[in-house]
Amino acid sequence: MPTYQIAVLPGDGIGPEVVEEAVKALLALEKPHPDLRFVFSEHPVGAACYQKTGTDLPDETLEACKKSDAVLFGSAGDPNVRFPDGTEIAPQLTLRFVLDLYAGIRPIKKYLGVKPLLANDPPIDYVIMRENTEGLYASRGAGIRVGDEVAIDSMIITKKGTERIVKYAFEIAQQRNGAPLDGVRRVTCVDKANVLKSQAYFREIYDRIGDQYPDTERDYAYVDAYTVHQVRRPDFYDVVVAENMFGDIISDLAAGTIGGMGMAPSADVGDQYGIFQPSHGTAPDIAGEGIANPVAQILSASMMLTWIGERHNDPEARAAAKTIDDAVSRVLQSDTTHTGDLGGKAKTKEVGDAVASEI
Ligand code: ATP
């Protein structure tokens, strides 16, 4: 019987609240998937951990991430707790670099039952592939500031870094059924190739990789124009690939079109490790009230199972991922199980209980 070690890092803010519901969903799988077993171990990370221990990512936590089969991460940080240089606590960013989690996989799906956010309520089902380890954020902690006169951060685009994320994007497209609008398998390169040399290089590499996938349509959009397309014709998109910061920004806009941050799951994966956490942050404005939407975290746990299933060639883990997705779909069809961000009144725990009982 396969048993998977899962490191659980609840973190700060709403992290612990939504992680509890995701773990509940994973435990509920025992009935429909009795051959699947998890061993959970919980580890400290984030701003509260920094205040207590002087580090936001203890060695013991990092080791546990490396030793486990996968990591379920809530959210970390607190606008009131900062490093001496004024930057916010963000161990999730550190983990992406340290564990080389180069692919930020962000499915954007509008569920039936969730109130339409856009006119005409187009079907929305695409995946944003965000490069996670370079781009503009590679300058994190390394930019230059000259007194009160100048500050510089650089956009780093490498051949290796771009090739691997673009290749991953085309591979994901092979597993999908194309864009909702026309069923065409399509990978869109979102960049700023008309202005920046680094971005023209990103597009050049995209084209080289695209040559290896002649059956997949190539598509291009400048990031500024793309934000309009996301609102006006989201059903045209299937898979989208972008540099780190552009991927970050278009992911949040995309989440807005499907019901908000509480609906956007995410996976940060590399060739060896995988961390699964929602796209949202700690949401300090609603933390502690028990009203956060746990759906993004629960769907991130489902992505974790898909990834485990692929790595271990375990059809049971893949089937369990689908069990979670189907349960979430059913729960979202009734507005009695919608949290406040979706216009409902349900509490975090009620949504988690509903998903677990559907499972
Ligand atoms: P970070 O910088 O870590 O991304 P942030 O506060 O800028 O943190 P989020 O934590 O993602 O960004 O929150 C943005 C907004 O979305 C807030 O108003 C927050 O309440 C809301 N939000 C985020 N996640 C959820 C959720 N799971 N359920 C309900 N609302 C959420």
Side-chain angles (χ1 to χ4, degrees):
M1 184 185 300
T3 299
Y4 298 110
Q5 311 284 331
I6 310 294
V8 180
L9 279 54
D12 305 303
I14 61 169
E17 299 169 46
V18 291
V19 161
E20 192 178 329
E21 303 312 318
V23 170
K24 194 184 279 174
L26 290 168
L27 290 170
L29 291 169
E30 192 174 337
K31 243 189 183 168
H33 301 278
D35 288 342
L36 206 53
R37 281 278 186 278
F38 304 106
V39 176
F40 298 101
S41 62
E42 199 173 303
H43 305 277
V45 74
C49 174
Y50 174 72
Q51 280 181 309
K52 217 160 133 194
T53 66
T55 169
D56 62 327
L57 182 61
D59 290 345
E60 173 272 326
T61 299
L62 181 59
E63 271 317 297
C65 292
K66 288 182 178 169
K67 278 200 196 118
S68 303
D69 290 300
V71 180
L72 186 67
F73 193 110
S75 53
D78 181 338
N80 298 316
V81 182
R82 290 172 187 262
F83 290 121
D85 70 355
T87 57
E88 275 193 37
I89 311 285
Q92 62 277 24
L93 299 186
T94 311
L95 282 166
R96 282 175 203 159
F97 284 91
V98 172
L99 301 180
D100 199 23
L101 309 174
Y102 62 86
I105 308 174
R106 291 159 168 219
I108 304 299
K109 183 170 166 184
K110 162 82 172 50
Y111 282 84
L112 278 178
V114 174
K115 264 196 314 211
L117 281 302
L118 301 176
N120 303 330
D121 195 18
I124 304 176
D125 186 351
Y126 61 97
V127 181
I128 294 175
M129 298 293 292
R130 165 186 173 186
E131 203 295 318
N132 254 349
T133 52
E134 46 183 53
L136 194 54
Y137 290 165
S139 284
R140 179 175 175 246
I144 299 168
R145 172 152 169 188
V146 185
D148 198 13
E149 300 296 327
V150 187
I152 305 169
D153 289 310
S154 311
M155 171 86 80
I156 312 291
I157 298 294
T158 69
K159 182 164 175 258
K160 176 183 163 200
T162 308
E163 276 179 353
R164 62 186 185 175
I165 189 69
V166 172
K167 201 165 173 37
Y168 207 150
F170 275 93
E171 285 300 323
I172 293 250
Q174 309 316 299
Q175 298 163 20
R176 292 172 45 87
N177 300 317
L181 178 72
D182 50 14
V184 172
R185 189 167 282 161
R186 174 180 293 125
V187 177
T188 302
C189 180
V190 170
D191 58 43
K192 200 65 190 166
N194 52 338
V195 175
L196 296 173
K197 200 170 267 188
S198 57
Q199 289 294 297
Y201 185 46
F202 187 91
R203 187 179 284 207
E204 191 183 312
I205 295 169
Y206 162 87
D207 271 328
R208 271 187 235 156
I209 299 291
D211 283 343
Q212 298 166 22
Y213 297 87
D215 297 334
T216 303
E217 187 177 289
R218 276 186 247 174
D219 178 52
Y220 310 86
Y222 298 131
V223 64
D224 44 345
Y226 179 68
T227 57
V228 178
H229 301 328
Q230 280 183 288
V231 175
R232 301 201 64 165
R233 53 164 202 189
D235 48 345
F236 178 76
Y237 295 102
D238 178 17
V239 179
V240 173
V241 63
E243 169 279 328
N244 204 344
M245 186 181 71
F246 294 161
D248 188 11
I249 296 170
I250 64 175
S251 301
D252 276 23
L253 176 57
T257 65
I258 55 163
M261 298 306 294
M263 294 299 297
S266 151
D268 294 317
V269 305
D271 294 330
Q272 230 180 323
Y273 305 107
I275 294 192
F276 300 83
Q277 74 167 131
S279 293
H280 63 73
T282 53
D285 51 336
I286 56 166
E289 293 179 37
I291 56 168
N293 185 349
V295 166
Q297 184 80 58
I298 294 170
L299 290 174
S300 301
S302 153
M303 293 180 77
M304 179 177 84
L305 294 181
T306 303
W307 184 75
I308 285 177
E310 277 162 18
R311 273 176 78 76
H312 296 268
N313 199 14
D314 179 354
E316 198 60 30
R318 284 197 292 258
K322 186 164 178 335
T323 301
I324 294 184
D325 289 348
D326 292 347
V328 168
S329 295
R330 286 196 295 276
V331 163
L332 287 172
Q333 279 176 34
S334 159
D335 55 16
T336 59
T337 38
H338 287 185
T339 41
D341 54 327
L342 299 181
K345 290 197 171 68
K347 298 273 192 186
T348 309
K349 199 170 154 351
E350 287 165 346
V351 179
D353 287 346
V355 171
S357 113
E358 280 293 338
I359 289 172

